[in-house]
C-alpha cells in the first residue's frame, strides 16, 4: 500500500484538468476569509456562482451518483479534486451549505420521486441547504427541543410550527442581507 501524497500518472492527469478548470473558473478577486460565514454579499455571490459551475461539471458533490446530479467520481478522483481545491484555499462546497447533511438523509429516506426532485438542485449547486436547530422555547438547546414526529403507514407528521416553517423554506435563497 502506497501512503505517499504523490499522484500516480492517472491522478496527475486528472489533477492537471482540475488545475486548468480552477484557473479558468475561480475569480481572481475571490477573497479567502478565515471563515466563509463572514464575507460580503459580493463575495458570497462569487462563491455561489462557483458552486453552480462546479455543479455543472459534477464536481460540487463529486462522489455522488450522476443520476442525481453528482459527479460519479471514484475515491481517487474525488481526493485529487479536494486536494487541488485545498491548494486554492477552497473547500467543497466553497460556501456554507448543509448539502453534506441533506443529501445522505435524502438518499437513505426519500422516495425515488423525492430523490429525483430534491437531490439534483442540491448536488448541482442550484439550491443551498441549511441546518436548523431551534424552537421558540428552546433556542438552540437541542436537549430541550419539543418537535415530535409521528410516523404512520402513509406519512410522517411533524408537530412543530418552527420545523414546518423552516422545512418549507429549505429551497429558497437567503435574503439579500442575510450573509453580511
Amino acid at each position: 500500500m502506497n501512503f505517499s501524497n504523490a499522484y500516480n500518472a492517472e491522478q496527475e492527469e486528472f489533477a492537471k484538468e482540475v488545475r486548468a478548470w480552477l484557473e479558468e473558473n475561480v475569480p481572481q478577486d475571490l477573497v479567502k476569509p478565515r471563515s466563509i460565514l463572514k464575507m460580503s454579499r459580493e463575495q458570497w455571490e462569487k462563491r455561489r456562482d462557483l458552486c453552480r459551475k462546479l455543479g455543472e461539471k459534477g464536481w460540487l458533490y463529486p462522489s455522488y451518483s450522476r443520476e442525481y446530479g453528482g459527479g460519479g467520481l471514484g475515491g481517487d478522483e474525488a481526493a485529487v479534486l479536494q486536494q487541488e481545491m485545498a491548494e486554492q484555499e477552497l473547500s467543497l462546497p466553497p460556501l456554507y451549505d448543509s448539502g453534506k447533511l441533506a443529501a445522505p438523509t435524502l438518499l437513505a429516506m426519500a422516495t425515488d420521486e423525492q430523490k429525483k426532485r430534491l437531490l439534483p438542485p442540491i448536488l448541482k449547486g442550484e439550491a443551498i441547504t441549511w441546518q436548523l436547530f431551534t424552537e421558540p422555547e428552546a433556542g438552540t438547546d437541542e436537549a430541550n427541543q419539543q418537535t415530535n414526529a409521528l410516523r404512520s403507514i402513509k406519512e410522517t407528521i411533524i408537530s412543530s410550527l418552527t420545523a414546518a416553517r423552516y422545512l418549507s423554506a429549505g429551497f429558497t435563497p437567503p435574503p439579500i442581507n442575510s450573509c453580511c
Side-chain angles (χ1 to χ4, degrees):
M1 194 175 276
N2 181 356
F3 291 103
S4 86
N5 287 331
Y7 295 145
N8 64 30
E10 192 176 297
Q11 293 166 334
E12 183 58 43
E13 194 62 34
F14 182 61
K16 286 178 185 176
E17 177 188 344
V18 172
R19 284 183 213 122
W21 189 92
L22 292 172
E23 179 69 30
E24 186 176 319
N25 289 282
V26 175
Q28 294 299 313
D29 60 344
L30 188 70
V31 174
K32 293 156 186 160
R34 230 178 180 174
S35 169
I36 59 175
L37 297 174
K38 296 179 180 179
M39 68 180 78
S40 70
R41 179 69 183 194
E42 177 187 3
Q43 286 293 315
W44 187 89
E45 289 292 347
K46 288 179 185 202
R47 285 175 181 267
R48 184 79 177 93
D49 289 341
L50 182 57
C51 278
R52 289 183 183 111
K53 290 178 183 178
L54 285 161
E56 287 173 18
K57 187 89 173 151
W59 289 356
L60 186 60
Y61 290 94
S63 59
Y64 281 89
S65 168
R66 285 189 178 118
E67 175 186 7
Y68 298 120
L73 300 184
D76 283 2
E77 289 176 311
V80 168
L81 178 59
Q82 291 276 2
Q83 179 63 36
E84 295 302 322
M85 292 284 291
E87 292 292 328
Q88 297 281 326
E89 298 180 54
L90 294 167
S91 61
L92 283 175
L95 54 74
Y96 182 82
D97 180 40
S98 294
K100 290 179 181 178
L101 296 173
T105 303
L106 289 169
L107 283 170
M109 303 302 292
T111 66
D112 287 341
E113 184 278 324
Q114 289 169 326
K115 289 175 190 176
K116 288 175 184 171
R117 182 171 48 90
L118 299 173
L119 284 170
I122 294 169
L123 300 180
K124 291 179 179 180
E126 297 163 0
I128 294 178
T129 61
W130 297 83
Q131 59 183 343
L132 174 68
F133 303 106
T134 186
E135 285 188 347
E137 301 300 318
T140 57
D141 176 10
E142 292 182 49
N144 197 26
Q145 300 286 318
Q146 302 300 312
T147 298
N148 290 304
L150 177 62
R151 189 173 198 167
S152 69
I153 294 172
K154 293 183 179 180
E155 62 190 0
T156 300
I157 300 170
I158 299 173
S159 63
S160 168
L161 194 56
T162 303
R165 183 175 19 175
Y166 285 104
L167 286 172
S168 67
F171 284 89
T172 60
I176 294 294
N177 62 356
S178 69
C179 66
C180 302

